[in-house]
Amino acid sequence: MIRSILCLALLLPLIAFGDAMVMTRAMTASTIAEIYIEKEMVRVELEIGMADIPGFKNILPDAIYEKMGNEPIPADQRIDRFFKEDFVIEADGKTLPGLIRQMEPRKRIIRDEITGEPLPNQGEGEDILFAEFIFPLVENPESLSIQPPKNEQGYTSASIGMMVYHRGLPVMDFRYLSRKETLQLDWEDPWYSRFQNKNLWRQYNEPISVFLYAEPFETRVEVIVRPKDIQQWHDLGIQGLETIPVDMQPELKQKVADFLMAELNLTIDGEQVAANVQRVNFLKRTLKSSMVIDPPEELDAISATLGVIFSAPTETLSQESSVTWNLFSPKMQVVRAAATDEAGPLPYKLSPDDNVLVWKNFLKHPTIPSIKALAPPQTTKQIKVPLGTILCLILFIPLVRTMLREKGKRAAGLGGGVVLACAVFIYPFLGFPVSVPASPELTDEASTELVSGLLENVYSSFDFRDESTIYDALDQSLVGDLLTDVYLQTKRSLELASQGGASVKVKAVVLEQAEFEPMENGFRANCTWDVLGSVGHWGHIHQRVNRYNAELNIQPVEGQWKITDLEILEEQRIK
């Protein structure tokens, strides 16, 4: 019934009126609400699921409202009731008048859990009703209350997952809006705007976060910080600015990175090391995650946030790493942190009296990247030369000549028969092996194992950090110009551009399907495989799966099986 009603809306004109996030089940709520608190207004964007349409009935067009079995009421009266009784926002205890800026049926966008970006394979998204509300503000209130729609029994009539931003800064982690909630607003520094309900506080509730990652061949430190916070320790030239213009941002990023690098105290296996600046990006922190702002744009000086990444190479997985953090202030006595390895993040709180973030290797069987040894191609084959038989045949030649003459013909024939019998009898016994060139041949089972091993080696090569080492590893599976092409293509597919180039660590390569066709000196394989990987970034580890369909030519080169040609036919993001 509801689906039919919502589909009907497509044919009717709608009324127009004047990561540091923690994933929760609220992300799967039927209705998603993003609330933006600015100086002059409160703006609300809603994705209303079909199951929650009855809770928002008062904003629906007359035809749909009555189709649902409701008594006719003028739309303007119902909308006024909606903003006074259903979805209510109060500023300092006074109800704000609301306006519907836009409302239309849409398909729910399926988004990347890491980047928040729409996935390329949307499929058949479910029907939702998108609505945008505006609540004008005359002055900056000290508090703001948000009330969801209720049913006749006083319970929430919609399942709403909510995210709130104050001047562009997230003031909470993604949580359910199940009752009236009140937010205390700090207009001088919105980072300190906070809900009265502690269940709605951010996990990383401080403006600076520090993350330590221990990985094979690399130890990495990531810092999320606002230039506004660095300004109290080091003059960045932004004091008194309302916004940070685009042309100022490159120099500002360099100043922040240089300051943090001078302050960074990183120790690996008992030795203090100098880390290198890997990336510096301004971040947009959204409902889904922290994303790189690209292309650059003018930023609010208060909410502008930088992600700075430092890295130090290691010979293998270190046994212990630590970061000593010394940047605290009277208002900022706690810095949220996490130490992360392949088992996941271990959250920690740094304070002036406990300012060392430590990671120790408690992994029993850590995954150390390596190149899988593959059976070499058999480019020769062994044949048996029957030496005894050959000698018998040599003896048989003069007997044949004798048989051709009249004299001794009978005896020669008898002797020839004996020699031939001996030649046949000793064939299995008197011989020696000889290697001769041959085209390599594989069973389908062996071909499947070979292709799987080659693909695993290609992806495993990118677990190394040094570019020359990666090339050397790839050279064991690829040839010629293909090596460079695959390097660039695979590197690009494993990097998250919206995360400043964070790399996916491949955990497994699963060959789902393969068909083989013989070719000269090798074979062609039409394959479908899944790449299962994970990304450790900004204190969280997320899983992702990509599926590929491609044609590969496999041939022996310099005593090794290698991929000599590769054409990607389809690439699909599954998770």
Side-chain angles (χ1 to χ4, degrees), residues 133-174:
F133 305 148
I134 299 296
F135 300 82
L137 291 174
V138 178
E139 56 185 8
N140 295 336
E142 295 182 1
S143 68
L144 201 75
S145 297
I146 306 165
Q147 174 190 295
K150 297 181 179 180
N151 56 27
E152 296 178 356
Q153 290 74 37
Y155 298 108
T156 304
S157 60
S159 173
I160 301 177
M162 178 179 71
M163 187 68 176
V164 179
Y165 306 90
H166 186 194
R167 294 185 64 181
L169 285 172
V171 301
M172 62 182 297
D173 289 332
F174 197 71

Side-chain angles (χ1 to χ4, degrees), residues 539-554:
H540 304 285
I541 290 184
H542 303 271
Q543 308 300 320
R544 70 181 298 171
V545 180
N546 279 13
R547 174 164 292 176
Y548 298 88
N549 176 245
E551 286 188 350
L552 297 80
N553 288 354
I554 313 293

Side-chain angles (χ1 to χ4, degrees), residues 526-527 548-551 566-571:
N526 187 302
C527 305
Y548 298 88
N549 176 245
E551 286 188 350
L566 184 150
E567 181 183 359
I568 299 293
L569 304 177
E570 182 181 9
E571 179 179 354

Side-chain angles (χ1 to χ4, degrees), residues 398-417:
L399 294 175
V400 171
R401 290 177 179 174
T402 302
M403 286 189 294
L404 295 176
R405 297 195 298 265
E406 289 296 328
K407 185 178 181 180
K409 184 175 182 180
R410 182 174 181 182
L414 182 60

